[in-house]
């Protein structure tokens, strides 16, 4: 059977999130949605018929002051929403925490919890997460073309922490990062909390080779790229993440604080409290769309347990909506696209 979230209209108990590096009473582990214990109505999401949103690379938006103003204003407004509003910035980050750190019980078994990492659920779930986050931002500034930028870490020009996130006076700033990795430090796709003693050029070459290998090996083998299958009754601690997720994990660790518990980006409980999270994920999502194009947009898995896996989010009006993986495979339903930018490793793949 496919993964299903608990039905929020029935009484259920969302749990404290689990993350060993935080004390049990830590407020960071309280990630349950604000509709807890209320009677809420969940509806199937109606896919918006609005203008196309075009996500652009960071370097592009960084020099577009009009865009940057909008982006910052939208984030500021999201941070300023009342704490109980599900569209509030911290509430949004808690969605990630709840779905990632074992807070939400499964519909099929309230004693087991959902986790959207380490499996074939990873890419589609995060695609939806960004979709709703982006639409909420657009709504807050009254712009239905607003699109998140993508951090093109797969391009040598994008292999440092983007400067739009390092200005302490900007609402995009987060002071819980490893500042030792601020520019001009080059990201390491294989980072595991130790900086390796290699030159920048060598690291860039290694990253590019790793990216093209990931694609070359992954195109014929969706499980390798996307992650292992995960069905309703299974537990993701027995599954392996896809290669795309593995690279992404290293980038999380590389951005987050070096001291335990590695806030914010370095631990899923707090990762989405850093605006850089969404730019990172926009690129992960873009890379997935390259992957899909290389496979002529065929379904990665025809398995109904994948296609019918269902999640609950808040739409831009704060209503609780239900979506399933199959619909995330149709970019025109989601009304967004990526502005092209050079992907120098891609030539090695096709
Ligand atoms: Cu749910 Cu980048 O992680």
């Amino acid at each position: 059977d496919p993964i299903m979230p608990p039905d929020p209209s029935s009484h259920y108990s969302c749990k404290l999130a689990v993350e060993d590096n935080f004390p049990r009473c830590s407020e960071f582990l309280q990630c349950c949605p604000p509709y807890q214990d209320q009677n809420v109505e969940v509806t199937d999401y109606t896919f918006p018929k609005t203008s196309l949103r075009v996500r652009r690379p960071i370097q592009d938006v960084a020099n577009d002051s009009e865009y940057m103003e909008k982006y910052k204003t939208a984030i500021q407004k999201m941070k300023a929403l009342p704490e109980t509003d599900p569209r509030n910035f911290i509430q949004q980050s808690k969605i990630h925490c709840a779905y990632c750190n074992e807070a939400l019980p499964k519909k099929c078994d309230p004693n087991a919890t959902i986790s959207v990492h380490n499996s074939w659920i990873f890419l589609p779930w995060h695609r939806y997460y960004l979709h709703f986050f982006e639409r909420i931002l657009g709504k807050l500034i009254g712009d239905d073309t607003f699109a998140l930028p993508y951090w093109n870490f797969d391009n040598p020009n994008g292999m440092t922490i983007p400067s739009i996130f390092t200005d302490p006076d900007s609402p995009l700033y987060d002071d819980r990062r490893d500042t030792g990795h601020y520019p001009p430090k080059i990201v390491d796709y294989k980072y595991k909390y130790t900086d390796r003693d290699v030159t920048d050029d060598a690291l860039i070459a290694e990253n590019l080779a790793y990216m093209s290998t990931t694609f070359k090996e992954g195109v014929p083998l969706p499980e390798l790229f996307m992650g292992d299958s995960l069905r309703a009754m299974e537990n993701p601690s027995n599954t392996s993440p896809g290669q795309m997720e593995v690279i992404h994990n290293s980038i999380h660790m590389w951005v987050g604080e070096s001291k335990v518990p590695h806030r914010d980006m370095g631990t899923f409980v707090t990762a989405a409290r850093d605006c850089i999270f969404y730019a990172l994920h926009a690129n992960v999502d873009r890379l997935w769309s390259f992957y899909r194009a290389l496979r002529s947009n065929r379904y990665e898995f025809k398995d109904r347990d994948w296609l019918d896996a269902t999640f609950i989010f808040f739409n831009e009006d704060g209503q609780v909506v239900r979506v399933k993986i199959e619909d995330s495979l149709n970019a025109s339903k989601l009304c967004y696209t990526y502005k092209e930018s050079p992907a120098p490793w891609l030539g090695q793949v096709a």
Side-chain angles (χ1 to χ4, degrees):
D1 292 341
I3 300 264
M4 294 280 167
D7 187 353
S9 55
S10 71
H11 187 84
Y12 77 95
S13 51
C14 173
K15 304 173 176 29
L16 273 186
V18 179
E19 162 56 84
D20 295 343
N21 289 319
F22 285 89
R24 268 314 266 170
C25 50
S26 161
E27 49 156 325
F28 296 112
L29 299 180
Q30 295 172 11
C31 301
C32 293
Y35 55 64
Q36 255 301 84
D37 296 337
Q38 291 163 23
N39 278 341
V40 293
E41 215 199 316
V42 197
T43 52
D44 287 330
Y45 182 50
T46 328
F47 286 85
K49 291 198 189 50
T50 44
S51 354
L52 189 69
R53 291 164 196 254
V54 184
R55 295 184 185 162
R56 294 150 65 196
I58 295 264
Q59 292 88 346
D60 219 41
V61 302
N63 300 317
D64 177 344
S65 50
E66 202 185 313
Y67 173 88
M68 284 307 298
E69 258 333 288
K70 281 189 190 173
Y71 183 23
K72 290 188 209 169
T73 308
I75 292 285
Q76 216 156 23
K77 289 195 167 184
M78 193 184 236
K79 290 184 170 172
L81 286 172
E83 239 177 87
T84 49
D85 189 317
R87 299 166 308 163
N88 165 284
F89 187 78
I90 295 296
Q91 286 297 344
Q92 286 289 305
S93 81
K94 288 184 178 191
I95 296 176
H96 185 255
C97 167
Y99 268 101
C100 302
N101 292 75
E102 300 160 59
L104 289 178
K106 287 178 183 169
K107 191 168 188 171
C108 67
D109 175 4
N111 294 316
T113 50
I114 294 186
S115 167
V116 295
H117 290 108
N118 263 17
S119 79
W120 63 4
I121 302 287
F122 171 73
L123 288 164
W125 186 88
H126 288 79
R127 173 168 286 183
Y128 274 128
Y129 185 48
L130 256 58
H131 170 78
F132 291 110
F133 185 81
E134 177 174 80
R135 295 190 63 88
I136 294 169
L137 290 176
K139 174 97 185 195
L140 291 171
I141 52 169
D143 178 354
D144 66 5
T145 64
F146 178 80
L148 288 165
Y150 63 86
W151 173 15
N152 54 340
F153 58 79
D154 60 304
N155 179 314
N157 299 328
M159 287 186 191
T160 52
I161 292 187
S163 57
I164 62 168
F165 298 113
T166 58
D167 167 9
D169 297 324
S170 163
L172 307 177
Y173 188 69
D174 184 330
D175 65 358
R176 296 192 173 89
R177 298 191 189 125
D178 185 344
T179 51
H181 290 160
Y182 270 15
K185 272 276 189 191
I186 301 293
V187 65
D188 177 1
Y189 293 178
K190 296 184 179 158
Y191 185 71
K192 293 264 146 46
Y193 292 112
T194 17
D195 288 307
R196 290 187 292 143
D197 192 14
V198 281
T199 64
D200 287 356
D201 286 347
L203 198 49
I204 291 171
E206 217 185 281
N207 285 342
L208 292 173
Y210 190 21
M211 191 60 81
S212 59
T213 309
T214 297
F215 274 71
K216 245 188 269 179
E217 295 176 349
V219 165
L221 288 173
E223 275 194 356
L224 194 65
F225 186 87
M226 308 282 298
D228 283 347
S229 62
L230 181 71
R231 299 165 211 285
M233 296 304 282
E234 292 168 344
N235 181 329
S237 58
N238 306 321
T239 54
S240 300
Q243 285 302 319
M244 191 66 249
E245 186 175 348
V246 171
I247 293 178
H248 136 280
N249 287 343
S250 288
I251 302 179
H252 267 275
M253 292 185 245
W254 188 77
V255 176
E257 280 183 327
S258 55
K259 67 172 204 295
V260 180
H262 304 307
R263 288 182 64 197
D264 278 338
M265 278 286 277
T267 171
F268 291 135
V269 167
T270 52
R273 291 171 180 240
D274 189 336
C275 289
I276 204 170
F277 173 100
Y278 304 91
L280 162 66
H281 272 276
N283 201 44
V284 168
D285 187 72
R286 164 178 169 263
L287 293 170
W288 180 27
S289 66
F290 284 168
Y291 176 80
R292 304 209 74 237
L294 287 166
R295 296 174 35 89
S296 318
N297 290 314
R298 293 193 312 276
Y299 283 180
E300 285 82 345
F301 310 98
K302 293 202 190 87
D303 199 316
R304 293 312 311 179
D305 289 352
W306 187 60
L307 296 167
D308 292 336
T310 300
F311 319 117
I312 285 175
F313 288 97
F314 296 97
N315 71 6
E316 69 243 52
D317 298 315
Q319 286 147 353
V320 190
V321 294
R322 197 186 287 121
V323 287
K324 59 178 196 166
I325 286 186
E326 187 163 20
D327 291 320
S328 76
L329 307 176
N330 183 342
S332 65
K333 275 203 166 175
L334 296 174
C335 265
Y336 79 115
T337 187
Y338 290 96
K339 182 177 171 193
E340 255 183 66
S341 69
W345 51 273
L346 194 55
Q348 308 292 310
V349 178

